[in-house]
Amino acid sequence: MLGHELARSSRVRPALRKCRSSRGSTKVKLSILVNEGPYTHQASDSAYQFTKAALEKGHEIFRVFFYHDGVNNGTRLTVPPQDDRNVQKNWSELAEKHKLDLVVCIAAAQRRGILDEGEAKRHNKGEGSANIAPGFRISGLGQLIEAGIEADRLVVFGD
Amino acid sequence: MTTLHMVNKSPFEKNAMQSALGHALKGDAVLLFEDGVYGALKGTTVASELGRIAGEVKVYVLGPDLTARGLGGDGRIADSVTVVDYNGFVDLVTTHQRTQAWL
Amino acid sequence: MSNIKKFLYLNRKAPYGSIYALESLEVVLIGAAFDQQVSLAFIDDGVFQLAKGQDTKSLGVKNFSPTFRALGDYGVTKLYVEQESLSERGLTAADLMPITYEDENDGFAEKPSINVVSRSELAGIMREQDVILSF
């Protein structure tokens, strides 16, 4: 039942060694898990603020993994009111600026209608129905395990 | 090999803070954030639990979450609790060997 | 990925009222393929995930409790259940599903996977972990 996820979890990033900054404080490699969608629970906002602060302090973010309703952070179709923050866009922009690896869980994404080109085609959802936001990619739960293995710390944000 | 326990629930709604404090060991830290910040207030029915572990376990509260909820003023927070910002949050994560989220 | 880490899956939520218990189990099954040291902890309402006699037919959702009994086949053999959490809820170990594994280092003898431990023992187990995943 879970074979497709295993198959997609094979992408392995080279492990980076811990390094020290010029100020001597230890740089740490972090992975982030986001379990809730935007706009209902604060988890995604907290995760974003935390990630931004960690990057500004010079730490490395190995991966941000979105699970459960957290996959809803990764749709390009959100249109929040102009006086509200755009959570999805914030993530996409942070990813572009810092070359972040934003991964949404494939099983959770499929349940909730978050598709990339390949998935949209595979499930015959029609032209243009891929809605994964820029900077995000869809992959298996193995990516979460790998994020736990490769990072020095895994920080979980959820409900 | 200490742990940062992250609590984001009000102790008046869920037992996350009580459970975290019940499992925290000497040298661990607890961060109260999101709705967890209500657990840092002075004069509540749960404030004594913070006092009970003071000295063994350090308790922090996330300032931006306090301020957002109108609790940023002087004297609202129990004396044993330290206010940190997101930079302090990051430091807490990196200076403890693991984080444990009490969702 | 040559380094082996200790992963603890921390379960504090009851099943069916939300998706978290089921999806935690999905991660455990996937994670089993990564040859890490895995254990599961059940505290607070998480102990209800292991209750005997679950039957979801009337709900139209999947009863995932039998999956716990298959964990041994995935090499996941350490399920810690907190005694205090059981007692608070009027439960004893006898109210939980029997979950066993075959110990390949002991002539495939059938052994219980569930270990009922005290809160202080569990706190010690948590401190030995490299990664704690909570849902």
Side-chain angles (χ1 to χ4, degrees), chain C residues 68-118:
Chain C
F68 285 113
R69 295 204 296 269
L71 286 177
D73 299 337
Y74 288 81
V76 178
T77 59
K78 290 197 190 92
L79 278 64
Y80 298 106
V81 179
E82 187 178 86
Q83 178 61 57
E84 285 86 343
S85 298
L86 287 175
S87 306
E88 284 162 11
R89 287 157 184 80
L91 301 173
T92 68
D95 296 306
L96 307 178
M97 295 182 278
I99 301 175
T100 57
Y101 71 101
E102 292 177 348
D103 189 349
E104 57 186 21
N105 299 319
D106 190 10
F108 293 94
E110 195 165 275
K111 295 186 176 175
S113 299
I114 292 181
N115 299 284
V116 178
V117 295
S118 70

Side-chain angles (χ1 to χ4, degrees), chain B residues 2-47:
Chain B
T2 53
T3 303
L4 173 67
H5 300 268
M6 296 166 55
V7 174
N8 69 337
K9 298 291 185 300
S10 165
F12 307 105
E13 190 200 1
K14 299 266 176 75
N15 76 336
M17 183 177 108
Q18 291 88 339
S19 200
L21 295 179
H23 292 85
L25 297 174
K26 194 172 179 177
D28 285 356
V30 176
L31 174 69
L32 305 171
F33 71 117
E34 297 178 359
D35 286 351
V37 301
Y38 295 113
L41 293 179
K42 224 178 218 172
T44 69
T45 50
V46 299

